[in-house]
């Protein structure tokens, strides 16, 4: 395994681990925030879920700029 491939694998694993933790605790967090404001709970939930896709989108843009595949 090349150093670049190893780095990419580690980055992907960390991103997936972070996303897994967020998704695991998301229902508890949204229900807790929903006690105060249902609209705020919706916004926080949407931001956290969209953040998962935003991380991969930003990483893909970074890879394209660097000339990676």
């Amino acid at each position: 395994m090349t150093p670049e491939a190893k780095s990419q694998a580690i980055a992907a694993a960390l991103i997936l681990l972070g996303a897994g933790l967020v998704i695991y605790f998301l229902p508890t967090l949204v229900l807790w925030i929903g006690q105060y404001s249902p609209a705020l709970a919706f916004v926080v939930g949407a931001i956290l879920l969209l953040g998962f896709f935003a991380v991969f989108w930003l990483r893909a843009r970074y890879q394209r700029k660097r000339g990676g595949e």
Side-chain angles (χ1 to χ4, degrees):
M1 183 181 273
T2 66
E4 184 177 336
K6 187 175 183 180
S7 172
Q8 290 174 354
I10 291 170
L14 289 175
I15 291 168
L16 287 174
L17 178 65
L21 286 172
V22 167
I23 291 170
Y24 180 77
F25 290 110
L26 185 64
T28 305
L29 179 65
V30 168
L31 288 173
W32 179 72
I33 294 172
Q35 292 175 352
Y36 303 103
S37 169
L40 181 61
F42 174 79
V43 169
V44 169
I47 288 172
L48 290 175
L49 286 177
L50 292 174
F52 174 72
F53 297 103
V55 167
F56 283 109
W57 176 71
L58 289 171
R59 180 155 169 75
R61 284 184 53 145
Y62 173 75
Q63 291 294 331
R64 275 195 303 265
K65 266 187 188 171
R66 274 194 35 212
E69 293 180 20

